Amino acid sequence: MSPVPIRYGARPCSLVVCRGCCCGDAGKNPGIDHAGQLARLRRAAADSGGRLAVRVSDCLGPCAQANVVVVQPSTEGRRRGGRAAWIGFTADDDCVDDILAWTAAGGPGIAEPPATLTLQMIDPPAEAKRRAR
């Protein structure tokens, strides 16, 4: 089987960080340094040599599990069968540590997620499932 050509270049593992109506809201989730977490993720991406990208989304949907981060596989991870992992309740530094460790190891399709992240994985909303088809 020959490799599939990549039309637009290889994509790195990506984090989509929800910062919409509930995620990142100090009123809903007090005591969390939302801006500090986002800055930490962006620093990790800047220091990754292009192996990690971070984007911010207005609202991903599963507000009951705020804060939500979606870990998207790299081009290679997707080629190996990796799919986006939706992680809820990303409210503490330990969770951010686990997300960054997993992405540094390659992320979905390349490396197994830490067991603690597996426990925090949530189902994407129906709209996201339809878009993925």
Side-chain angles (χ1 to χ4, degrees):
M1 181 170 143
S2 64
V4 177
I6 300 170
R7 291 177 61 186
Y8 302 106
R11 289 184 54 202
C13 187
S14 301
L15 301 178
V16 181
V17 182
C18 186
R19 285 296 183 258
C21 62
C22 296
C23 296
D25 182 340
K28 179 170 181 167
N29 296 299
I32 299 169
D33 183 4
H34 301 284
Q37 283 185 346
L38 185 56
R40 184 173 170 211
L41 294 171
R42 286 181 166 155
R43 268 192 315 275
D47 294 343
S48 74
R51 293 183 314 274
L52 177 64
V54 174
R55 295 181 300 135
V56 175
S57 174
D58 183 35
C59 183
L60 294 171
C63 297
Q65 289 108 355
N67 291 336
V68 176
V69 173
V70 179
V71 183
Q72 296 177 320
S74 64
T75 300
E76 180 62 18
R78 186 160 301 276
R79 189 184 70 72
R80 293 183 185 192
R83 296 294 173 255
W86 288 62
I87 304 168
F89 312 105
T90 62
D92 61 34
D93 289 335
D94 290 338
C95 182
V96 173
D97 290 344
D98 287 344
I99 290 170
L100 292 175
W102 185 28
T103 59
I110 308 263
E112 290 297 316
T116 51
L117 281 187
T118 302
L119 293 172
Q120 289 179 246
M121 289 185 183
I122 60 174
D123 290 329
E127 312 87 66
K129 290 179 185 178
R130 282 193 297 275
R131 282 192 308 262
R133 288 185 204 158

